[in-house]
């Protein structure tokens, strides 16, 4: 499930214990990959023409100096630059403006274009009108240096030193003005959302269309309990104690619920690995700049991200963020693509503004375990792998016997990075409604332009390269995709409510039983 555009919420952390119960079984290789021979057959599928942010641009840059001021403070320079194709945005102003409106984005396109034009004019001024002046200033500075080689009175020498300093400062002023303008342009342009797939429904969440429906609601011949009541009767979790220890929307899992969580994680992990995914456990604290590079806006109005006071770090809201950062500032060999990961992590979300019955119990909490799939691929393959991700999700949920529907989410419900997003909502009889249990997003090159992840084909750029020129083809930005394999708390809600029995017990789905010591039934505890 995605993490929306958000502001950072600060928290104080003392000693932080090891965040994960799982040991990493994969160590990422070097950030720049060597080419290798590959004769794999690429899947064939229709291509979509997406020019949004796909034209070549300068490589994203990153500086690692720590922040010392609040990210909300105006005038703070961004610590990184996205490789945004401003020329394409200017040349396709109407298309971009229409897309911003479809997405209900607050991006200020007019300001972006105004700043871009100012930047071009300033660059032109520096290159043309100031060229002779710069040469003159340099000449005068050299003359000052030559005069100082002779014997001069102390006062005259000091005067020449000051003149030289003034001349040097004059040279730097133009460059400083340009850097400030570029920083302001970056801050505004990074708010522009990704372009939108032509088949995406236009409108708010209610305009989303049903792509597929699987199964039907189970008919119960007894009063249905929700997962909260089932958890209480079966002694599976404790919200009251967790509220005293940590606050609202935290919980303890107990007894068979712990086994159910571990069973879900291990079963899902092995099922996804059959599709060629490399398993990962991830850091659960990341730099706030990486959150921004993945397209989440920590300066927004709805707080979802916890930040650590006195540092530039945040708790992750989804493993998509640390996985996206593995190959940050890399040029990959095309022969290595696609790179497919499935990551196990805890996730932390403030869930600001959430209220009502939709947030009761395990449905919406501040901390939860999740398995996230993440793919890096060549641009022409991202639609194919988007379909693959949704098939994996549907196969998993069908295996567990869930009644669900797959939705093609409307433009107004897409996060800034997503070009297209499919959500899956499962029937939860205790809540008497469908609830979201997963999503799958194609982010095209929106994230890779911010993270600086490119690939280079092993094919030569030309058979007759010019003298002194490299024969290598120019690097291109990869496409990134992410999808939820298993959000544990919501899966527990589904399994408890759909598999409850009249005697108060809950049947364990068959695929999970080998991962729960052969347990077939959760029964009420004898008192």
């Amino acid at each position: 499930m995605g993490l929306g555009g958000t502001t950072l919420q600060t928290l104080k952390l003392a000693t932080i214990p090891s965040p994960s119960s799982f040991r990493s079984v994969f160590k990422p290789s070097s950030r720049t990959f060597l080419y290798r021979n590959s004769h794999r057959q690429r899947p064939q599928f229709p291509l979509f023409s997406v020019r949004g942010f796909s034209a070549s641009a300068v490589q994203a840059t990153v500086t690692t100096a720590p922040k010392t001021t609040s990210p909300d403070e105006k005038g703070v320079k961004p610590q990184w630059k996205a490789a945004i194709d401003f020329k394409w945005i200017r040349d396709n102003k109407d298309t971009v403006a229409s897309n911003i409106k479809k997405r209900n984005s607050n991006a200020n396109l007019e300001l972006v274009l105004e700043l871009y034009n100012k930047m071009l004019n300033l660059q032109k001024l520096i290159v043309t009108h100031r060229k002779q002046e710069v040469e003159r200033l340099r000449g005068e500075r050299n003359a000052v240096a030559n005069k100082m080689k002779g014997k001069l009175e102390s006062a005259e020498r000091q005067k020449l030193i000051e003149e030289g300093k003034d001349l040097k400062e004059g040279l730097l002023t133009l460059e400083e003005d340009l850097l400030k303008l570029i920083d302001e342009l970056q801050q505004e342009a990074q708010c522009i959302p990704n372009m939108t797939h032509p088949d995406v429904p236009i409108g708010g969440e209610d305009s989303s269309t049903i792509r597929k429906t699987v199964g039907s609601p189970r008919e119960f011949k007894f009063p249905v309990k929700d997962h909260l009541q089932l958890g209480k009767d079966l002694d599976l979790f404790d919200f009251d104690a967790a509220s005293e220890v940590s606050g609202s929307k935290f919980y303890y899992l107990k007894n068979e619920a712990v086994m159910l969580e571990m069973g879900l994680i291990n079963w899902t992990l092995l099922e996804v690995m059959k599709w060629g995914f490399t398993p990962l456990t991830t850091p659960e604290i990341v730099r706030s700049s990486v959150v921004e590079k993945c397209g989440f806006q920590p300066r927004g109005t709805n707080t979802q991200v916890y930040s650590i006071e006195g540092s530039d770090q945040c708790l992750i809201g989804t493993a998509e963020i640390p996985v996206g950062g593995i190959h940050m500032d890399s040029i990959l060999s095309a022969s290595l693509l696609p790179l497919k990961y499935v990551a196990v992590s805890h996730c932390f979300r403030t869930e600001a503004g959430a209220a009502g019955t939709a947030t009761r119990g395990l449905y919406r909490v501040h901390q939860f375990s999740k398995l996230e799939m993440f793919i890096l691929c060549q641009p022409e393959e991202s639609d194919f792998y988007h379909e693959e991700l949704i098939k994996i999700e549907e196969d998993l949920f069908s295996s567990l016997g869930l009644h669900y529907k797959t939705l093609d989410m409307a433009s107004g419900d897409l996060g800034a990075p997503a070009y297209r997003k499919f959500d899956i909502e499962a029937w939860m009889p205790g809540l008497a409604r469908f609830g979201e249990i997963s999503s799958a997003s194609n982010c095209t090159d929106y994230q890779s332009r911010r993270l600086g992840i490119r690939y280079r084909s092993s094919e030569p750029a030309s058979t007759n390269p010019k003298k002194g020129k490299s024969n290598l083809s120019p690097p291109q930005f990869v496409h990134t995709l992410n999808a939820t394999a298993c959000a544990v708390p919501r899966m527990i809600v589904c399994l408890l409510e759909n598999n409850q029995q009249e005697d108060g017990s809950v049947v364990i789905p068959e695929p999970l039983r080998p991962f729960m010591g052969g347990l077939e039934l959760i029964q009420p505890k004898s008192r």
Side-chain angles (χ1 to χ4, degrees), residues 27 42 45 87 91 98 106 110 178 186 207 210 214-215 248 279 303 309 350 352 375 445 451 476 478 526:
K27 183 178 181 181
R42 297 286 184 193
F45 48 89
K87 183 178 183 299
D91 294 346
S98 174
N106 59 1
E110 291 300 328
L178 182 59
Q186 276 284 325
S207 298
I210 298 176
V214 174
S248 63
T303 301
E309 186 175 351
T350 67
I375 296 177
D445 61 355
L451 291 162
Q476 302 177 58
V478 301
S526 57

Side-chain angles (χ1 to χ4, degrees), residues 60-271:
T61 58
V62 181
T63 59
T64 56
K67 290 183 182 178
T68 56
T69 54
S70 166
D72 294 318
E73 183 180 340
K74 289 186 177 180
V76 175
K77 294 182 180 179
Q79 297 187 35
W80 55 277
K81 290 182 174 63
I84 297 172
D85 190 349
F86 294 106
K87 183 178 183 299
W88 189 93
I89 294 174
R90 183 193 63 186
D91 294 346
N92 296 272
K93 174 183 174 181
D94 292 343
T95 301
V96 176
S98 174
N99 186 64
I100 289 172
K101 185 176 180 180
K102 290 176 186 176
R103 308 280 289 246
N104 289 334
S105 169
N106 59 1
N108 191 338
L109 178 60
E110 291 300 328
L111 179 57
V112 170
L113 295 176
E114 178 185 340
L115 292 171
Y116 178 55
N117 288 330
K118 284 183 178 179
M119 183 191 74
L120 293 178
N121 290 334
L122 184 54
Q123 287 174 335
K124 186 177 180 181
L125 184 66
I126 292 172
V127 171
T128 58
H129 297 286
R130 293 295 185 180
K131 185 175 181 180
Q132 292 181 351
E133 182 178 352
V134 167
E135 292 300 322
R136 180 182 62 79
L137 291 173
R138 285 176 176 162
E140 289 184 18
R141 188 171 60 179
N142 291 336
V144 168
N146 290 332
K147 287 181 182 180
M148 291 181 64
K149 292 178 182 178
K151 293 182 179 180
L152 296 172
E153 295 293 331
S154 176
E156 188 176 356
R157 179 180 292 275
Q158 185 60 38
K159 180 182 177 182
L160 292 174
I161 290 174
E162 294 300 324
E163 288 178 357
K165 287 181 179 178
D166 291 342
L167 294 173
K168 185 177 181 181
E169 289 174 1
L171 282 172
L172 293 174
T173 299
L174 292 175
E175 295 176 352
E176 290 176 353
D177 289 345
L178 182 59
L179 287 175
K180 289 177 182 177
L181 190 57
I182 290 173
D183 285 343
E184 188 178 357
L185 174 60
Q186 276 284 325
Q187 288 188 12
E188 291 297 330
Q190 286 163 19
C191 297
I192 295 177
N194 200 353
M195 298 304 290
T196 306
H197 191 289
D199 293 342
V200 166
I202 306 305
E205 185 178 359
D206 292 343
S207 298
S208 301
T209 57
I210 298 176
R211 192 171 189 251
K212 184 178 185 180
T213 300
V214 174
S216 57
R218 177 186 165 190
E219 294 183 5
F220 293 89
K221 296 181 180 179
F222 55 88
V224 174
K225 300 176 183 178
D226 66 12
H227 73 282
L228 276 171
Q229 188 61 50
L230 289 165
K232 182 178 180 181
D233 294 347
L234 298 171
D235 195 22
L236 297 179
F237 26 78
D238 192 331
F239 286 92
D240 294 335
S243 179
E244 293 295 323
V245 171
S246 301
S248 63
K249 299 187 187 301
F250 288 93
Y251 57 94
Y252 288 97
L253 293 183
K254 300 170 62 179
N255 299 315
E256 292 91 345
V258 177
M259 299 170 65
L260 185 54
E261 170 164 324
M262 298 303 174
L264 280 166
I265 290 171
N266 286 300
W267 172 73
T268 304
L269 190 65
L270 291 177
E271 289 298 308

Side-chain angles (χ1 to χ4, degrees), residues 43 69 116 124 241 332 384 400 479-480 502:
T69 54
Y116 178 55
K124 186 177 180 181
L332 308 172
F384 172 85
L400 295 175
H479 278 195
T480 63
E502 189 171 8

Side-chain angles (χ1 to χ4, degrees), residues 22-56:
F22 308 95
R23 295 188 178 274
S24 176
V25 295
F26 171 74
K27 183 178 181 181
S29 53
S30 170
R31 286 180 177 263
T32 302
F33 290 83
L34 299 177
Y35 296 108
R36 70 182 185 190
N37 293 326
S38 174
H39 302 287
R40 287 182 302 167
Q41 294 295 316
R42 297 286 184 193
Q44 299 297 315
F45 48 89
L47 304 182
F48 292 95
S49 177
V50 188
R51 279 295 315 275
F53 299 104
S54 298
S56 61

